[in-house]
Amino acid sequence: MQVHDQEQITRYEEAGAWGEETLLDQFDDTVSEHPDRTAVVDPPNTPDLVDREPERLTYAEFADRVDAIATSLRDHGVGKDDFVVAQLPNTWELAALYLGVARAGAVLSPMPIQWRRHELEHVVGTTEAVAYVGPREFKEFDHVEMATDLAGTSETLESVFSFADVREFASREPDADELDPVEVGANEVFNLQWTSGTTADPKACPMTHNNWQSNPTPLLCDMSEGDVVLCAAPLVNMTALGVNYVPWLLTQGTLVLHHPIDLGLMVEQMQTEGVTFTILVPAMLNQLLKHPDVDEFDLSDVETITTGSAAPAEWAMEEFQERWGIEIINIWGQNEGTSAVSGPETTPMERRATDFPRFAEDTDWGIDDPRIDTVDIRVVDTETGDQLTEPGEVGEVKFRGPGLMAGYYNQPDLTEAAFDEDGYFYTGDLFQVEEDGFVSFFDRKKDVIIRGGFTISAKEVENIVLEHPKVADAAVVGEPHEDLGERVAVFAVPQPGEDLALEDITEYMGDDVAVYKRPERLEVVDEVPRNPVGKVLKTDLRDRL
């Protein structure tokens, strides 16, 4: 499935940013060169997640399972350009599904395991998925039952596979005759990930092999061949894929999986597995340094920790450097494939918490690499679209580069609204122009809430709350939270004569909506403040919180 037009393909191929190799080719090279190297390590608490013992697989063992899964999917009718939806925790089965589905010629579309029927129906409808993979029981919820129920009404969803089915697939003998005829090109879609924003429903971001091959993380984060990469984020979107999974493939390393976030267990894995690279959100950096046993931690193998989603504390960055010699690198990016990396290659420590290099055609950062040279980041006036260049000016970032998706899949209206005629993507993030070619994050133009690393569409939650029979009007904003970053807060106007409680709303959402999207604070108000044209004054609501 090719989504970029030929003009884009030619531009990036001629620049050297894109080539003919796929991620499957990269994986095959590693299997051939390092068959006995450890490829994937399960979380120590795997029995609590999927009721089996943790496993460690070499590249040779992992490759056999990838090919066996691909063979089984082909046998079940999954073919070229079909979509397979998956909801699984961070175990080797999910890591293998990405490659196995791609080997079968299909496209994996993973969802957060917390998503429910409401989100699944949208994902299947948008992708016209033919297959689903999920656990029969995870946190007392039956994902297979949910998907089977949806399959009864879906026009496309034909196959529902359980976690046990995938393990059984992986135990079979791979069939080379079945897989050899399947051709996968570097400009075809490897996976489709989901992002939330100002729209009511998640947006579909198709990422090609070449989009991922131009990932600047290994280059700008000084990764090395054979790095041991800890994946603590859910293996479903840019945080884990762009900063952990794909760099693991590109550096022929070892992928150490973690789920869910457990600081003590995570530190244990970092020590026992010799982790050299990972990504942790700023709150986790702070928690690690404030842990009562921090003086006992031996993180001497760790070379680099990347961070993002909010500005890290400068004291934390300095403390990691002084204690263990660990380089903290700040990353800004989105599921659409935008990215800016602030690390030692470009940014002094005293600016790294807030400032990012503005990679662009009119700047030179002394990095001779097409993955950087072809990126163009501009700050533009939100009203006129004119480029802003004076320090102190604030505008929206628009982005063009080889890592950027071609457009939202099967959502042409969203694509048209987000891209201009020159292929620049309007990120919805406001940045301030700084001295010396830097920019700093200023605010989110998009109406989103970021709770514990998960991006939540305020509009999506609002629409659900407004369905409640007791609610006359409502607005949703993010409430600042020390550990989570933000949590969902609702300002609601009850219907006349009705008493409204937070439990009314959360119980109404039930099991059909992801748990992390449920409001955690309710403010009952007489009216929702609006400007003269009816737009909710969310700044006022945030100020109240």
Side-chain angles (χ1 to χ4, degrees):
M1 179 183 296
Q2 185 171 301
V3 288
H4 291 279
D5 62 41
Q6 191 56 49
E7 181 181 349
Q8 289 175 305
I9 293 171
T10 301
R11 181 197 311 139
Y12 291 125
E13 285 182 343
E14 289 181 349
W18 289 359
E20 297 182 354
E21 270 201 325
T22 68
L23 293 177
L24 293 171
D25 294 330
Q26 293 274 4
F27 177 67
D28 289 344
D29 288 345
T30 306
V31 174
S32 176
E33 296 169 17
H34 306 285
D36 297 325
R37 176 178 290 173
T38 301
V40 183
V41 180
D42 269 331
N45 60 323
T46 298
D48 298 330
L49 301 174
V50 292
D51 194 26
R52 67 161 175 78
E53 291 302 309
E55 297 182 59
R56 315 171 63 88
L57 303 176
T58 66
Y59 269 98
E61 293 167 335
F62 192 61
D64 285 343
R65 300 188 187 197
V66 166
D67 287 350
I69 289 171
T71 299
S72 297
L73 290 172
R74 297 281 297 182
D75 289 343
H76 281 85
V78 175
K80 186 69 173 175
D81 295 340
D82 284 337
F83 281 94
V84 177
V85 178
Q87 281 187 289
L88 292 174
N90 284 9
T91 61
W92 71 255
E93 288 84 357
L94 179 54
L97 267 177
Y98 278 97
L99 297 167
V101 169
R103 184 82 82 199
V107 178
L108 188 69
S109 179
M111 293 169 33
I113 199 164
Q114 297 93 335
W115 284 13
R116 296 294 184 257
R117 171 67 181 259
H118 170 76
E119 294 91 355
L120 178 61
E121 192 165 359
H122 171 70
V123 168
V124 171
T126 302
T127 62
E128 299 181 340
V130 302
Y132 170 91
V133 180
R136 287 200 175 276
E137 184 176 342
F138 187 84
K139 304 293 184 182
E140 300 181 351
F141 184 81
D142 191 332
H143 290 74
V144 170
E145 181 181 13
M146 171 186 67
T148 302
D149 183 59
L150 177 60
T153 59
S154 170
E155 295 181 2
T156 62
L157 189 59
E158 298 175 352
S159 302
V160 176
F161 304 121
S162 69
F163 178 82
D165 290 333
V166 174
R167 286 189 59 78
E168 196 273 326
F169 292 168
S171 68
R172 298 180 182 176
E173 283 293 321
D175 185 350
D177 293 335
E178 181 77 49
L179 299 179
D180 286 347
V182 181
E183 295 186 5
V184 178
N187 290 310
E188 295 190 57
V189 177
F190 174 71
N191 74 293
L192 188 145
Q193 53 206 28
W194 297 90
T195 188
S196 298
T198 54
T199 57
D201 294 310
K203 295 176 287 189
C205 304
M207 296 292 289
T208 69
H209 292 261
N210 264 330
N211 284 147
W212 287 126
Q213 297 273 47
S214 58
N215 186 335
T217 300
L219 170 68
L220 296 179
C221 295
D222 198 27
M223 295 186 70
S224 304
E225 193 270 338
D227 264 344
V228 180
V229 180
L230 174 69
C231 181
L235 191 53
V236 298
N237 59 19
M238 184 57 74
T239 302
L241 283 163
V243 189
N244 292 152
Y245 189 86
V246 170
W248 158 66
L249 288 174
L250 298 181
T251 59
Q252 302 183 318
T254 297
L255 186 66
V256 178
L257 297 169
H258 179 91
H259 189 113
I261 296 295
D262 180 321
L263 190 62
L265 191 60
M266 183 177 68
V267 171
E268 179 185 326
Q269 287 180 277
M270 294 170 79
Q271 295 177 145
T272 59
E273 298 295 343
V275 168
T276 59
F277 180 88
T278 190
I279 180 169
L280 304 175
V281 297
M284 292 172 65
L285 297 178
N286 298 343
Q287 290 169 14
L288 194 152
L289 289 172
K290 293 179 180 180
H291 194 281
D293 298 327
V294 65
D295 291 334
E296 307 301 319
F297 296 161
D298 178 9
L299 303 183
S300 56
D301 288 323
V302 181
E303 298 170 0
T304 304
I305 296 178
T306 58
T307 191
S309 84
E314 188 174 337
W315 72 266
M317 301 175 75
E318 293 173 350
E319 186 75 6
F320 272 92
Q321 181 67 252
E322 291 175 8
R323 276 183 174 273
W324 302 291
I326 295 174
E327 199 75 66
I328 301 295
I329 294 179
N330 195 10
I331 296 180
W332 165 82
Q334 299 165 302
N335 279 294
E336 288 86 351
T338 62
S339 67
V341 180
S342 194
E345 290 275 350
T346 59
T347 315
M349 179 68 78
E350 61 268 20
R351 300 186 68 169
R352 205 177 298 169
T354 55
D355 293 2
F356 295 92
R358 187 180 68 84
F359 295 127
E361 296 170 353
D362 59 356
T363 60
D364 183 6
W365 293 88
I367 303 171
D368 186 17
D369 191 286
R371 289 170 289 181
I372 303 302
D373 296 339
T374 53
V375 171
D376 196 27
I377 298 173
R378 301 185 183 186
V379 180
V380 299
D381 187 281
T382 56
E383 298 295 329
T384 66
D386 294 337
Q387 186 169 0
L388 304 177
T389 58
E390 293 298 318
E393 291 184 309
V394 175
E396 182 176 0
V397 161
K398 69 176 188 178
F399 182 99
R400 188 173 73 180
L404 183 65
M405 67 175 191
Y408 296 110
Y409 182 77
N410 210 15
Q411 296 169 312
D413 293 345
L414 296 178
T415 300
E416 184 177 357
F419 286 80
D420 68 16
E421 60 184 11
D422 296 318
Y424 286 89
F425 171 70
Y426 282 76
T427 64
D429 283 351
L430 303 178
F431 275 71
Q432 179 169 295
V433 179
E434 303 291 347
E435 299 279 359
D436 306 324
F438 287 92
V439 293
S440 62
F441 181 77
F442 186 81
D443 202 354
R444 288 194 301 273
K445 183 180 176 183
K446 298 178 180 180
D447 190 12
V448 297
I449 299 161
I450 299 181
R451 181 192 186 279
F454 286 100
T455 302
I456 302 166
S457 164
K459 185 178 181 68
E460 178 187 9
V461 179
E462 280 172 6
N463 286 348
I464 298 171
V465 172
L466 286 167
E467 293 173 0
H468 196 291
K470 287 187 177 183
V471 175
D473 196 9
V476 171
V477 295
E479 177 188 19
H481 189 274
E482 184 177 355
D483 293 326
L484 298 171
E486 293 179 301
R487 62 179 187 174
V488 179
V490 175
F491 287 82
V493 180
Q495 292 282 11
E498 294 285 0
D499 291 324
L500 184 65
L502 180 62
E503 291 75 18
D504 293 325
I505 295 172
T506 55
E507 289 176 5
Y508 178 77
M509 291 180 167
D511 290 335
D512 288 339
V513 179
V515 173
Y516 65 84
K517 296 181 183 179
R518 295 177 187 173
E520 294 172 84
R521 175 169 175 171
L522 170 67
E523 292 292 325
V524 175
V525 294
D526 294 331
E527 65 176 1
V528 173
R530 285 182 164 80
N531 67 12
V533 296
K535 184 178 180 180
V536 177
L537 299 174
K538 294 205 170 181
T539 300
D540 291 356
L541 298 180
R542 294 188 187 99
D543 287 344
R544 294 189 199 181
L545 295 177

